[in-house]
Amino acid sequence: MDHGSLLVLTLGLAAFPPPIFASMVVPEAFKKHEVVPDVIPAAPSAQVKVIFEGGVEAKLGNELTPTQVQNPPKVSWDTEPDTLYTLVKTDPDAPSRADPKFREWHHWLIVNIPGTDISKGDVLSEYVGSGPPKGTGLHRYVYLVYKQAGKITDAEHGHLTNRSGDNRGGWKIAKFADKHKLGTPIAGNLFQAQWDDYVPKLYKQLGA
């Protein structure tokens, strides 16, 4: 190969750099933001895509506002055929990261999802937007997806509506995963948010 060809090849590679694999990025982000060990003992290797209205996305720790995330996002991840999944959104920083005495406050929990069709899963906890109390700084909102070995039923947890905050706090996804033998999550993501003027509306919705 002559020098000219080598230069063209080098420039071509520079223009199309190899992709940064999610298997490297997600564990690094979960360690950086201390999701490991605050929420789970080991990070997933893949990223779950979380897109809110207007195209706003969770990007492994970026800051969004409660107004932007008030409605359920579109969520997707790599799946296997004929497999059920569990999806959770949880906040380990309740009421604040400095004093997380209610860790975790879970915002969404769906089990028995065929592939990524959330509408066909069983909702154990209806979606609640982000409501960090005023003056408590940034909260981490963590999305995790688990692969199930079989169908899950959990009468003890029951069905939690999005009109009450009862039984949301002091919950642990790690304990739920152990209870149902879910193992390590296969995919994850997170964003951060702090108080904005949507939060009082959310508290009213929850009867606070």
Side-chain angles (χ1 to χ4, degrees), residues 8-122:
V8 170
L9 178 59
T10 303
L11 289 173
L13 290 173
F16 300 98
I20 300 173
F21 294 103
S23 60
M24 296 166 58
V25 175
V26 176
E28 288 174 2
F30 272 43
K31 183 177 180 181
K32 173 185 175 183
H33 293 288
E34 299 180 337
V35 175
V36 176
D38 288 352
V39 179
I40 49 177
S45 59
Q47 184 172 327
V48 53
K49 202 164 185 64
V50 181
I51 305 178
F52 297 93
E53 290 178 355
V56 175
E57 292 187 51
K59 294 182 179 178
L60 295 173
N62 58 321
E63 183 176 350
L64 302 176
T65 69
T67 298
Q68 290 174 313
V69 304
Q70 61 185 278
N71 295 318
K74 293 180 180 178
V75 184
S76 60
W77 59 90
D78 291 336
T79 63
E80 297 177 11
D82 304 315
T83 303
L84 300 175
Y85 296 89
T86 291
L87 169 68
V88 64
K89 171 193 175 186
T90 191
D91 171 10
D93 303 324
S96 70
R97 190 162 179 174
D99 181 25
K101 59 188 176 185
F102 301 132
R103 176 178 292 172
E104 301 151 23
W105 206 99
H106 74 289
H107 289 249
W108 205 13
L109 179 61
I110 308 176
V111 299
N112 305 325
I113 302 168
T116 60
D117 192 348
I118 291 173
S119 67
K120 292 183 179 177
D122 296 324

Side-chain angles (χ1 to χ4, degrees), residues 117-155:
D117 192 348
I118 291 173
S119 67
K120 292 183 179 177
D122 296 324
V123 180
L124 296 186
S125 302
E126 295 178 10
Y127 182 86
V128 172
S130 301
K134 196 169 189 176
T136 61
L138 288 169
H139 287 227
R140 295 165 292 173
Y141 295 93
V142 181
Y143 281 80
L144 297 169
V145 174
Y146 291 84
K147 178 182 173 182
Q148 299 176 199
K151 191 168 185 179
I152 288 176
T153 56
D154 196 325

